[in-house]
Amino acid sequence: MVATDELLSPAVLRQIGDKLYEKRKIAALEVEQVVKRLSAQGDEARIKLIVARLISEFAFSQQVNHRKGALLCLAAATVGLGEPSKENLLQIVPPVLRSFTDPDSRVRYYACEALYNIAKVARDTFLCLFNDVFDAMFRLCADSEPNVQNAVQFLDNLVKDIVTGNPQFFDIGAFIPKLHEYLRVVHPNKRQFLISWISVLDGCPDLDILFYLPQLLDGLLAMLSDPVREIRVAADRVLKEFLIEIHATAAIDFARLARSLLEKTVSGDELTRLTVLTWLKSFVEMPSCMGSGQLAPQYPEILGAVLANISHTNGDIHKVASETNQALLSVAPHPLLGWSSVDVPAILGALARELRSDAEPSRLEALRWVHVLLSRAQGQVLGQLPELLPPLLDSLSASSDPVVSAALQLLAAIAGCYDTQFRLVLRGLLDRFRGEGGARLLQRGGALVIRRLCGHMGGEKVFAELSQILDAEEDLAFASMLTQALNLILLTSPEVHSMREQLKEAATDPQGAATFRSLYRCWAHSTGAVLSLCFLAQAYGHAADIISSFRSLPMGAETLLQLDFLVALLETPCFTFLRLQLLQPRRHPDLLRCMYSLLMLLPQSNAWRTLNTRMQSIPIMGMMQLDGASSVGTTAGAPSDSSGSGSGAGAAPIADFPALLSAFRSRQEAHLGIEERRGGSGALAGLSAAGATAGAAAGSVSSTLPHEGGVALSQSVPSGAGTAPAGTSAPPAAASTAGVLVDEPAGLPHAVAGTSATPVSAARQPSAPLPAPGGSSSGGGWGDGQGLPSLGGDAGAVAAAAAALDSLEGPGSGA
């Protein structure tokens, strides 16, 4: 202390803390001269003592003027040293930096001025304290006082000059972690300060800041969404410069950069997304990047991000994403471009997520990707099929026609790989229709999906496979619902028109007969469906045997609903040929037997009245001739002809009808057992209770499918409402055209031998209801002991039909 008193006089010590700047400056000049003299003498000890006293008595003083004077004197002491050593700076600079946080703005200003003078003298030695100095400048660059900000700007420019002029003394590796931490700030002044430093360091050729770019990229990308335009522009400019430099070098960690980029692909800021996608596009197009395989582990994430942004509403983002996707497609999968180490299952997982997207462009490109991978890495794609099938099948019910078309093409390609894959696709489709949600999906668009599959894969192939799957189905209610839906598609869809035509020629076409046999056991899940199949194949004798089998099978409510719907189907264009065949009763007696048998099974509902009205249009004299046309007696329940087609003797049998009838009975008994267990009833009283179940399987499906003429099928399924009470008659029907035999030669007299014309006119009188059938073999045995309502209507026609049916009940009948 004595030594410093000798060096610094009391007058100088008083002037250091004076309130006037001029006196403080005089004291600082005196300190500079003293230090310069001691430095020339090499007396470092006394210099340290002077500096220590300035710090302890003035720099840390409670008086503002003392602190101001100390800063002037410390800067003067540094100037006096000439070339301060690192040891000198470690003593002088810390108290100056501490003053950067002084509550008095003038002290902060003097601190900046003092540090500027110290740095100007120390130059490269000053860089040993760079991180501490940078911290201090970073705090003050956002100071509330403009004068302080200006002072920091001058100091900042000087420090930048020192760094770029002496890069060999600058430890960039020690500075980058601090810079990475500061990049998280959001203050605009501080962000501008950081961007300027990154730009300066990047412009210095001797500093490889590109090596540290993975640590800086995240912060720079965050600045692209800054509300201040100047910061966004500056950050974008720096990033573009970095990208240009990346193209010129291969020594870059692409994987780490890609991780930072991928985090920003979901940013709400459009400039950020566009920049990120531009970088990813550049990486994909760089041979040095793709060839090194660095990005291979991140291909799934890159692809997912690119596909998601293809649907962006911003045109620039959509364009860059599309170009990036095309670049990826051109090299996928390529063993020479990093694909040998790609996790293909992970890529397929990313594609599966995009397949669930609501955006059409993303969904279409995802389907395209799966198709490409199927052609280039088939085994791996098929291995992930259980995960891919659900979103693929969901795509079939999309509102976008291009998506549905692409999904159908892809499913067709998958199904065409192996038979096992074909079955897996169809089984997955059927599983989508399980449960309440599945039933709603089936009603809403499931039938359309199946139709489109038929269009792409072939109706015969799809129906044959679906039939095999449903034939082995354990959930009988589900099988019945799907069978009814498939039956409606078969009868009305234009996609399976050729299949219908084959079935119509089943009696003479072996392919049609094979199709009939392949569908039958599945169609046996539904009485209405199997009868529709028989009617389509013109196997009227077998259809009559099926109906007759209900003399021993209980009539469940669901069966009655199916028969109701069958009557509605008979009025559609696909059965025009059948309705015309009713005009030829001598040629198709089994068809007549089927129609009247259905009338006997149905309650007097709307369906009954519809069919009854249709039957009254049959020529009565043709029906009256049936009694004489039959020469052989019949046995109740026996098959009506050998072919089952009603086409006459000599035709080859379509199938083993007794075996098929046995299979039908077994299946129906199983269905009735399940219906009873879940509380169903075979009585008519249960009809309305079962309406929801059968309606979901049949009636509601009809509203979604057009018939082959392209007009929507509008006939709904009656639910049993409007059934006439037992023992009453329906209103008299309109008179039919009597005495016209369509299949007779021209000029045939209206009166047939053995008959009289008078009953024709007499038949117009209504009669009392017929007694309920009693079940005898001579009477046909239609019921199970329960009385059914009368047919009503034309009494003469009913009497003629009853007489004709007596002769049609057993084998050997026919025209």
Side-chain angles (χ1 to χ4, degrees), residues 382-652:
L382 295 181
Q384 298 297 312
L385 198 54
E387 288 73 27
L388 283 174
L389 266 184
L392 278 176
L393 294 170
D394 287 342
S395 299
L396 296 178
S397 57
S399 57
S400 166
D401 287 339
V403 169
V404 174
S405 178
L408 285 169
Q409 293 176 12
L410 178 55
L411 285 171
I414 292 173
C417 294
Y418 302 101
D419 289 341
T420 54
Q421 305 305 330
F422 181 65
R423 170 161 286 208
L424 186 60
V425 168
L426 294 184
R427 190 179 293 278
L429 174 62
L430 293 183
D431 287 341
R432 306 297 290 172
F433 301 139
R434 294 187 185 274
E436 294 183 4
R440 287 193 295 270
L441 175 63
L442 178 62
Q443 296 173 29
R444 188 171 61 249
L448 184 60
V449 169
I450 297 174
R451 289 174 52 197
R452 286 172 168 171
L453 279 176
C454 291
H456 279 76
M457 300 182 186
E460 294 84 354
K461 185 177 181 181
V462 170
F463 268 75
E465 192 65 36
L466 289 175
S467 298
Q468 291 183 25
I469 296 173
L470 290 175
D471 185 31
E473 175 61 45
E474 295 180 358
D475 186 348
L476 297 183
F478 174 73
S480 177
M481 180 183 72
L482 262 296
T483 299
Q484 293 174 63
L486 292 175
N487 180 63
L488 193 57
I489 295 170
L490 175 65
L491 296 177
T492 61
S493 171
E495 288 81 1
V496 290
H497 177 268
S498 61
M499 193 173 171
R500 285 197 298 274
E501 295 304 312
Q502 278 185 356
L503 285 169
K504 290 178 182 178
E505 303 298 327
T508 57
D509 181 9
Q511 182 61 39
T515 302
F516 178 85
R517 291 191 296 270
S518 67
L519 299 181
Y520 186 93
R521 292 188 180 274
C522 171
W523 260 236
H525 280 294
S526 166
T527 302
V530 77
L531 287 175
S532 299
L533 181 65
C534 292
F535 290 156
L536 191 61
Q538 303 184 55
Y540 301 136
H542 184 62
D545 294 337
I546 289 175
I547 300 174
S548 296
S549 66
F550 282 100
R551 67 181 55 165
S552 57
L553 286 174
M555 284 287 291
E558 194 164 342
T559 301
L560 288 172
L561 281 172
Q562 293 174 22
L563 295 179
D564 258 23
F565 189 61
L566 172 61
V567 172
L569 286 174
L570 292 176
E571 297 296 318
T572 61
C574 66
F575 284 117
T576 300
F577 73 94
L578 181 146
R579 297 194 299 273
L580 291 175
Q581 287 174 352
L582 288 174
L583 296 176
Q584 302 172 321
R586 293 185 61 192
R587 187 171 297 178
H588 305 286
D590 286 324
L591 173 59
L592 212 62
R593 176 185 170 203
C594 291
M595 296 299 104
Y596 278 108
S597 298
L598 284 175
L599 279 173
M600 291 302 179
L601 289 183
L602 287 169
Q604 292 191 12
S605 60
N606 291 335
W608 180 90
R609 282 186 284 275
T610 298
L611 183 57
N612 186 41
T613 301
R614 174 68 64 185
M615 296 304 294
Q616 290 175 9
S617 301
I618 300 174
I620 294 178
M621 292 196 66
M623 292 181 59
M624 293 173 64
Q625 285 189 345
L626 289 178
D627 185 47
S630 179
S631 59
V632 182
T634 61
T635 304
S640 58
D641 57 46
S642 60
S643 69
S645 65
S647 58

